[in-house]
Amino acid sequence: MPEHFVGKPIVRVDAAEKVTGTAIFGPDVVLSGMLYGKILRSPYAHAKIKSIDASRAWELWGVRAIVTGDDFPGILGGEAMKDLPFLAQGKVRYVGDPVVAVAAESLEIAEEAIKLIQVEYEEIPAVFDPREAMKESAPIVHENHHQYQHIPVMKPVPNSNIMTVSEFSKGDTDQGFAEADCVFEDTFYSHSIQHAPIELHSVVAQMTADGKYTVWVPNDGPHRLRKDLSDALKIPLTKIRVLSTYIGGGFGSKGGLKLEPVAVALAQKVNHRPVKIVNTREEEFSACVVKHATYLTVKTGIKKDGTITAREVTSIWDAGAYAEKSPTVCMQATAASAGPYKIPHVKLKGYCVYTNKVIAGAYRGYGVPQVTWAYESAMDVIARKMGWDPLEFRLKNILREGDENPTGQPVHSIGVEECLKKAADVIGWEKRKNAPAPAESYKKRGFGICCAAKNTKTPSGAAAVVLLNQDGTANVVTSTVEIGQGAKTIFTQIAAEVLGIPVEKVCVSNPDTDLSPYDASTTSSRATFHMGNAVKEAAEDIKKQLCNLAGEIMGCPGDDLIAEGGEVRPKDQAGLNKEPLPYKQIMMKKYGAGGTILGRGFYYPEVKTNGMWSAPSIFWMYCAHAAEVEVDTETGKVDIIKLVAAQDVGKPINPVTCLQQVEGGAIMGMGAAMSESLIFDNKGRMLNPTLHDYKLPTFMDLPDLESFIIDAPDQNGPFGAKGIGEIVVAPTMAALAAAIEDAVGVRIKEGPLSEEKVIAGLEKLESGQEAR
Amino acid sequence: MKRVPIKLKVNGQAYVFDAVPENKTLLSLIRDDIGLTGTKEGCAEGDCGACTVLLNGKTVDSCLVLAVEADGGEVLTIEGLSRDGNLHPIQQAFVDEGSVQCGYCIPGMIMSTYGLLQENPSPTDAEIKKGLEGNICRCTGYVRILNAVHKASEMMAKESK
């Protein structure tokens, strides 16, 4: 029997490097002759640049380049909409907008130099709330933004701050609401937070004499970065080489154009020396990227028997000063904004709006945490008002195998019902009314349970090359970046499984866009599914070639042979009496002087568009979280007693790496719900851009956490696997808010779920008002 | 900036610097001058613990210690834990328990664990949480790190018998 590697808890292949401190991350890159870059950023949210005087900075020894937006007139970058100058041109649009960059012999000199640069600004009116920004009277963040180049699905509204509107409808919601016995409408607010990976953003860029740029960077989309830079600089793809380091956590923040354009701008001016830029933690918070603050209005029609007849969701996304990935966040999340429920009539609309705030972009879940917060909170509000069990209400309407989801797509591989049931079972949902009361009479106990569904960007391509070496080992070459998700381990297992060789004989390399083939990005929970399929195909290609080569040696057709367990042998041993040939021997006999077998794989899902603005998702992810809390009615403090997370994984390639995502996601979701929040003053300045004032979960916040993986094999996934990395954070806030309401009757509709809001709600309850 | 000479030992090896700026941090000395990049910077103000090393046997945030303060001292970094190609039991426990994801916080987390287990060889859950609360991990949710510390404690107890 051949040994199996898929489905096993193989030890992560990157673990040894990481526990010894030898893994190279972005800030660890050091090159000879390297200069250090520093950015002077705007202190104003919205201002015209009147003049820039860098003469005093030039006098400082060791300053090698000073660049401004004027050095790159008309050069604009951006994946969805080309609205991002390398450095501000004419005006600044948020506090933190890059204005001038310096390259110097040391970081200290660069820091000193930017202090000596004088910029004269003329402040102009700014807008900070996306609902205000949608009004006709609002200051315009980007004049004529509809004239920017943009992807076809975007619909910019001219002479406004609305960069795009995403719409989807199914059936007739007017009819659906007419058929309903009750209609509920509520508005929920999802607050802005920051990704806060522990690794700071960094880049090293060099322009060599042939006009080629090489960029060493922890960016989650090396080929996407190559294309973004190529588009902006109007040079061929071959003139840009992106080399990926390990990424020390990204959660959506480490993609697109961040420090790279500034580094490239400096690299043009320093006589071919490399330039390194590393963010400070303060820049990481206030001048990099954040999760969208979002207003979501959910209107739901229900029958008295608990059936949902119609749902309308309108969302408004605070995109900040530049488009970044906002247009596609708004688009994908809008499509997912009705939830994993069977609803015949659906109307979903998302407005993506510029404001004079730090850029918002992809945050783990790509807008789905925000929409989940709204539709799951709406489910609980309805269940409570109707006197229904929240779990039963969900199960009454939950999507099941073969149902049509709210975007009109029939669903397969759907484990959401099982996730809900598992989470309910472990949290003790049935017995919750009999749970012992907290010892202190001023504390109250409550339970909540929520689920979520997420799409993946579709279609998108992933290519892999597997190289079989003379000694029977294999190199796997892809452009998937190891960001902590375990991709290198997953590809190792897939290649080992298909080739039938031990995992120790497989080596997965970090991307290099000169050498590793195209991949859309290491995002959207797509690496295991898309690149996993490509690696599988490439390894199968090698086996086919090995059979043909062995057939030549054995004197029989390759089709009569099978490659398994590291050797090629006849399919029918009795009918064709030949000795099995190990891969190494085949290589020796055919290519004695040296050679390699190249296996090719390219996965690009074929999907039918059905008149929607975008293609349906090649797979959907599902999960459920349940929470048990104790609320202190005197202080408003919420103690999380237990969290349960159940995740539909399709089929696990590696159960441990799956559980790693589920556990980490639940705690990240908990932090987003309870303690993390970005605070701005009335001038658009962030007030808490440090890890001291911005409260990430620490070891002390760890509750009793139980995590489970649920099998629901996907017919298109490699070995039935699906992606999971983003959705794992989505339902936590809604589950915790439901548990708080269950405990003390206070329904919080605006995140975070702070002590102040609990107390304010309790005071309202005491005074006889509805607590909200 | 005034510059001063310092001598120190890092991972048992002697280093001599003729002119270290007084405002240089120990973290910068370790990473930029000695070239050991396993010790990470995450915040530069003592909030995240990624830069944790041992100075004279005690864990410190090396971003908050000036290089001159380490003059005459002994520093242990993540690179100094494994011996003859064998992982230290703490490192091995982190590998075995699946405690590593992106890995950026891990050197600091392991050094804090080293410091904790030196002072308290068999800590309880609560003592581990308290001992490692200054090390922030954004990926793991801490669960498997907790397991690894227990396992490392057991492994080290067996070794010392």
Side-chain angles (χ1 to χ4, degrees), chain A residues 12 18-19 21 25 27-28 194-195 199 248 251 281 484 659-660 663-664 676 690 692 696-698 700 702, chain B residues 31 37-38 40 42 45 47-48 78 87 91 95 98 100-102 104 129 132-133 138-144:
Chain A
R12 285 180 66 126
K18 289 177 174 177
V19 297
F25 295 89
D28 302 332
Q194 217 267 330
H195 312 61
E199 180 201 38
F251 316 109
R281 180 56 66 180
L659 285 169
Q660 287 179 333
E663 292 159 2
E676 295 176 41
T690 70
H692 193 76
L696 294 174
T698 74
M700 296 304 278
L702 177 61
Chain B
R31 284 181 60 85
T37 56
K40 305 299 183 192
E45 50 195 13
D47 289 325
C48 76
I78 187 71
L87 295 181
Q91 293 171 315
V95 171
V100 179
Q101 291 187 34
C102 91
Y104 197 80
K129 287 181 180 183
L132 300 181
E133 71 168 327
R138 196 60 165 149
C139 297
T140 65
Y142 304 105
V143 188
R144 285 168 196 273

Side-chain angles (χ1 to χ4, degrees), chain A residues 130-296:
Chain A
R131 296 167 304 177
E132 293 295 318
M134 286 171 74
K135 292 179 181 166
E136 272 190 21
S137 57
I140 297 292
V141 181
H142 288 259
E143 293 79 13
N144 303 318
H145 71 286
H146 60 285
Q147 291 173 358
Y148 289 139
Q149 273 185 51
H150 59 79
I151 54 174
V153 290
M154 282 182 70
K155 293 173 191 152
V157 179
N159 306 314
S160 82
N161 288 312
I162 301 172
M163 77 172 77
T164 189
V165 183
S166 299
E167 285 181 273
F168 173 73
S169 66
K170 183 181 87 164
D172 176 356
T173 49
D174 289 342
Q175 185 196 327
F177 289 126
E179 288 169 3
D181 293 318
C182 299
V183 175
F184 288 86
E185 185 172 326
D186 263 304
T187 296
F188 302 92
Y189 173 67
S190 178
H191 61 294
S192 183
I193 64 171
Q194 217 267 330
H195 312 61
I198 309 303
E199 180 201 38
L200 303 160
H201 278 70
S202 67
V203 60
V204 180
Q206 182 174 26
M207 189 186 85
T208 40
D210 55 357
K212 180 162 182 161
Y213 296 89
T214 304
V215 184
W216 293 259
V217 68
N219 185 298
D220 67 24
H223 276 275
R224 180 169 62 188
L225 174 61
R226 184 169 82 146
K227 181 177 186 302
D228 284 352
L229 289 174
S230 141
D231 284 350
L233 297 167
K234 299 183 176 61
I235 57 176
L237 291 170
T238 48
K239 287 290 183 189
I240 296 158
R241 180 182 191 183
V242 179
L243 289 144
S244 298
T245 64
Y246 277 113
I247 303 184
F251 316 109
S253 74
K254 294 252 172 80
L257 298 172
K258 296 290 181 304
L259 293 171
E260 296 87 348
V262 181
V264 160
L266 287 169
Q268 291 183 7
K269 311 281 183 185
V270 292
N271 204 19
H272 315 310
R273 292 175 70 178
V275 180
K276 179 179 189 172
I277 309 177
V278 184
N279 262 354
T280 63
R281 180 56 66 180
E282 185 177 345
E283 288 177 305
E284 199 72 15
F285 273 108
S286 59
C288 188
V289 66
V290 300
K291 176 186 176 189
H292 295 85
T294 314
Y295 293 90
L296 306 112

Side-chain angles (χ1 to χ4, degrees), chain A residues 269-533:
Chain A
K269 311 281 183 185
V270 292
N271 204 19
H272 315 310
R273 292 175 70 178
V275 180
K276 179 179 189 172
I277 309 177
V278 184
N279 262 354
T280 63
R281 180 56 66 180
E282 185 177 345
E283 288 177 305
E284 199 72 15
F285 273 108
S286 59
C288 188
V289 66
V290 300
K291 176 186 176 189
H292 295 85
T294 314
Y295 293 90
L296 306 112
T297 301
V298 184
K299 184 178 174 186
T300 311
I302 51 152
K303 292 270 205 193
K304 278 183 181 152
D305 70 353
T307 312
I308 301 176
T309 60
R311 176 165 275 175
E312 289 182 359
V313 181
T314 305
S315 50
I316 299 171
W317 302 78
D318 182 352
Y322 296 96
E324 222 261 355
K325 300 197 188 90
S326 288
T328 45
V329 169
C330 177
M331 182 177 83
Q332 282 201 208
T334 298
S337 63
Y341 299 108
K342 207 171 149 179
I343 310 173
H345 305 289
V346 177
K347 194 188 277 182
L348 311 171
K349 196 164 186 176
Y351 295 92
C352 190
V353 186
Y354 284 121
T355 62
N356 291 112
K357 298 228 294 284
V358 55
I359 302 165
Y363 170 90
R364 196 176 196 176
Y366 222 65
V368 163
Q370 288 97 318
V371 301
T372 303
W373 157 242
Y375 67 68
E376 284 299 88
S377 293
M379 294 300 280
D380 280 303
V381 168
I382 295 167
R384 198 172 168 85
K385 288 248 174 73
M386 299 302 290
W388 296 334
D389 181 291
L391 175 64
E392 278 176 30
F393 177 42
R394 286 178 169 84
L395 291 176
K396 170 103 186 160
N397 294 284
I398 203 79
L399 285 172
R400 295 184 172 87
E401 180 66 30
D403 285 344
E404 194 182 79
N405 74 8
T407 65
Q409 188 182 358
V411 294
H412 303 289
S413 167
I414 173 161
V416 65
E417 180 178 6
E418 217 182 324
C419 287
L420 275 169
K421 287 178 172 170
K422 182 73 187 178
D425 183 43
V426 176
I427 203 80
W429 187 259
E430 285 302 319
K431 296 177 225 153
R432 70 191 188 283
K433 297 296 177 200
N434 305 324
E440 303 89 342
S441 61
Y442 55 87
K443 286 189 176 177
K444 303 289 176 202
R445 185 160 297 186
F447 293 79
I449 189 163
C450 290
C451 59
K454 190 191 175 293
N455 37 13
T456 185
K457 70 174 173 186
T458 307
S460 72
V465 176
V466 177
L467 307 164
L468 189 75
N469 302 311
Q470 280 169 291
D471 61 355
T473 62
N475 284 91
V476 177
V477 185
T478 79
S479 290
T480 296
V481 189
E482 179 56 66
I483 194 166
Q485 81 284 50
K488 283 180 131 181
T489 308
I490 297 303
F491 303 157
T492 298
Q493 288 178 256
I494 290 175
E497 177 78 26
V498 175
L499 292 171
I501 60 176
V503 288
E504 293 76 20
K505 288 192 171 184
V506 178
C507 170
V508 181
S509 305
N510 288 338
D512 171 349
T513 57
D514 265 12
L515 307 174
S516 55
Y518 177 81
D519 176 47
S521 56
T522 309
T523 64
S524 211
S525 308
R526 59 183 291 287
T528 293
F529 190 95
H530 290 74
M531 194 58 81
N533 270 323

